[in-house]
Amino acid sequence: MATLDIYQFPCLSDNYGVLIHDGENNLTASIDAPEAGAVRQALADKGWTLTHILTTHYHADHTGGNLELKGETGCTIAGPRNEADKVPGIDVKLGEGDSYEFGAFTAKVFDTPGHTAGHITYWFPDAKVAFAGDTLFTMGCGRVFEGDAKTMWNSLSKIRALPPETVIYSGHEYTVANADFALTVEPGNAALQARAKEVRELRAQGKPTVPTTLARELETNPFLRPGSPEIQANIGMEGREHWEIFGEVRRRKDNA
Ligand code: ZN
Ligand code: FE
């Protein structure tokens, strides 16, 4: 089995860039391209040559480097079919149920709308890794800009159904703020208390809290836990539909 090498680096104010590399086939993809300079530097640091950009959604902090990097390298840009007109330089349009071959690896693509209407998530089952863009964050989730609570909950439910050992990369370092908020809706969650302490320590040392694993998120992320009796009681929504509870938790975070 080939190895998928993964290199994450901070860029812009709070974004993460990620390179994935199939050494056997000498392919390197940038998961999103927040800015050309940081991606270029990361490629130089690793000695890798860019062949692909895999776009999760059209926002400028995820596509700002697309055209410059494509101009320099001739890389292929894959991205969401449902917002393809907003993704600079897109060559390959992907959506729900598609498989995308990246050397020895295959990405399974899910539509995960809500943050944007066309947002997609890439899951590499053999490498046990998913790239969730701005849909799921460590202990948080993306703001619902284009869609409603039901749409976003349905998207999160697709990620929630992946194997628990799946390693989840996301676009931003928002984790300390996410942890502070999570404790307001589920203060009695011991796993959450421990994780909040851990992420504060990591950040104090300048270390990333991304990636995470789905298993840890299922235990600590309030946006994946609408079934929690404590959350339901704290927001006064015992027994309501999970998408409604998700929506209320998201509304409270927006107003926090
Ligand atoms: Zn975004
Ligand atoms: Fe973003």
Side-chain angles (χ1 to χ4, degrees):
M1 186 72 231
T3 312
L4 188 69
D5 293 313
I6 303 181
Y7 179 61
Q8 176 180 265
F9 51 96
C11 54
L12 298 175
S13 57
D14 53 31
N15 280 76
Y16 283 118
V18 180
L19 299 178
I20 62 173
H21 179 71
D22 171 352
E24 234 163 74
N25 295 290
N26 205 19
L27 298 175
T28 304
S30 183
I31 307 298
D32 289 330
E35 52 172 345
V39 175
R40 202 184 289 125
Q41 184 61 51
L43 289 161
D45 291 345
K46 301 302 288 183
W48 295 343
T49 301
L50 191 68
T51 55
H52 297 75
I53 294 172
L54 305 183
T55 301
T56 62
H57 67 294
Y58 73 86
H59 283 161
D61 62 312
H62 298 259
T63 58
N66 278 21
L67 293 182
E68 211 175 317
L69 291 165
K70 187 176 181 177
E72 288 168 13
T73 63
C75 67
T76 298
I77 300 180
R81 178 181 298 125
N82 290 342
E83 57 193 33
D85 55 330
K86 296 178 187 163
V87 176
I90 191 168
D91 299 296
V92 181
K93 298 168 187 175
L94 299 172
E96 184 74 21
D98 286 341
S99 291
Y100 187 67
E101 306 288 323
F102 176 72
F105 298 88
T106 300
K108 306 263 184 201
V109 178
F110 302 104
D111 284 335
T112 48
H115 177 70
T116 65
H119 194 299
I120 59 175
T121 290
Y122 298 88
W123 175 44
F124 289 79
D126 292 336
K128 298 180 169 41
V129 62
F131 298 97
D134 286 358
T135 296
L136 182 70
F137 296 127
T138 301
M139 282 194 274
C141 76
R143 274 186 186 254
V144 184
F145 290 125
E146 301 176 7
D148 56 19
K150 206 170 197 172
T151 304
M152 189 68 165
W153 172 246
N154 185 47
S155 295
L156 289 171
S157 296
K158 294 178 189 177
I159 297 174
R160 213 166 165 255
L162 296 176
E165 66 270 23
T166 305
V167 173
I168 298 179
Y169 284 81
S170 56
H172 293 270
E173 180 61 62
Y174 292 153
T175 310
V176 169
N178 289 341
D180 289 345
F181 171 76
L183 286 166
T184 68
V185 291
E186 205 178 21
N189 178 341
L192 170 58
Q193 293 163 7
R195 182 76 167 133
K197 184 166 176 282
E198 186 187 325
V199 299
R200 282 193 199 100
E201 285 165 5
L202 285 168
R203 293 308 295 149
Q205 297 163 26
K207 291 180 181 160
T209 65
V210 178
T212 180
T213 64
L214 180 59
R216 302 200 85 173
E217 294 311 301
L218 292 171
E219 287 188 329
T220 58
N221 188 323
F223 299 101
L224 297 184
R225 297 176 54 76
S228 157
E230 185 184 357
I231 292 178
Q232 292 187 6
N234 277 330
I235 66 172
M237 293 185 75
E238 288 98 330
R240 299 278 287 276
E241 296 285 332
H242 284 183
W243 70 266
E244 295 179 295
I245 295 163
F246 162 77
E248 176 58 17
V249 174
R250 183 62 254 180
R251 196 188 63 75
R252 289 180 182 224
K253 175 69 165 65
D254 290 343
N255 298 327

